Amino acid sequence: MRATGKPFNIEKKRVYEAYKAVKSNGGAAGVDGQTIEQFEADLKNNLYKIWNRMSSGTYFPPPVRAVSIPKKSGGQRILGVPTVADRVAQMVVKQVIEPDLDVVFLPDSYGYRPRKSALDAVGVTRERCWKYDWVLEFDIKGLSTISTTRSCCGLSGNT
């Protein structure tokens, strides 16, 4: 790899590989209204700008476009749609850090993990239903109340 004089060593090829992954995923335009096809119209320049800003430490993500989608249980959920360029930048970061971070996760962690899916988690759960006669349920919405309910879990105030 050639030295670029930039503070962050990001290969241009990695940015291109990230772009190919983003293109294969598809997706809607972000707040700038630019589609993948429009991004491709000036692909070389667009990828260069991402590489240059990321490798020099001056990349700042633009705002995301808020899209309201219906929930199965009723109501709406707000989904943030990043720009195509930001999705490419996010993919570069993912490809760089994922191999190092993935080994830190426990084998039973399934969310947003490579080669693991919700169906894998369901399969393991089904197997364990035959092995254990207890269930531990965790609601992430209640996560903020854990520190105030230590006594109910048998934890001392020193933990």
Side-chain angles (χ1 to χ4, degrees), residues 1-75:
M1 180 185 324
R2 292 184 305 171
T4 62
K6 305 271 187 184
F8 298 98
N9 195 7
I10 298 170
E11 297 178 43
K12 290 179 182 176
K13 181 179 179 181
R14 182 172 301 275
V15 177
Y16 180 68
E17 294 298 323
Y19 155 73
K20 290 193 315 188
V22 166
K23 181 180 178 181
S24 73
N25 289 340
V31 71
D32 61 359
Q34 186 179 49
T35 65
I36 291 175
E37 293 76 23
Q38 292 167 327
F39 184 87
E40 286 180 312
D42 193 13
L43 184 62
K44 186 176 180 180
N45 188 44
N46 286 328
L47 295 180
Y48 177 81
K49 282 192 284 188
I50 295 167
W51 168 82
N52 190 40
R53 290 174 182 164
M54 291 184 79
S55 61
S56 65
T58 61
Y59 180 83
F60 291 95
V64 297
R65 182 168 62 98
V67 176
S68 186
I69 60 171
K71 291 176 158 183
K72 287 182 181 178
S73 60

Side-chain angles (χ1 to χ4, degrees), residues 131-149:
K131 293 181 182 178
Y132 304 102
D133 59 358
W134 55 270
V135 173
L136 176 63
E137 182 178 353
F138 182 78
D139 181 357
I140 198 159
K141 288 181 184 175
L143 187 60
S144 62
T145 61
I146 288 178
S147 63
T148 61
T149 59

Side-chain angles (χ1 to χ4, degrees), residues 48-116:
Y48 177 81
K49 282 192 284 188
I50 295 167
W51 168 82
N52 190 40
R53 290 174 182 164
M54 291 184 79
S55 61
S56 65
T58 61
Y59 180 83
F60 291 95
V64 297
R65 182 168 62 98
V67 176
S68 186
I69 60 171
K71 291 176 158 183
K72 287 182 181 178
S73 60
Q76 299 284 314
R77 179 170 79 95
I78 302 299
L79 179 70
V81 180
T83 64
V84 174
D86 194 41
R87 291 200 310 262
V88 172
Q90 289 176 25
M91 186 63 71
V92 169
V93 173
K94 176 186 182 291
Q95 290 173 348
V96 169
I97 68 173
E98 191 172 65
D100 294 330
L101 289 182
D102 194 56
V103 298
V104 176
F105 286 90
L106 297 173
D108 279 350
S109 296
Y110 288 88
Y112 303 101
R113 298 277 307 283
R115 298 168 301 283
K116 290 199 175 205

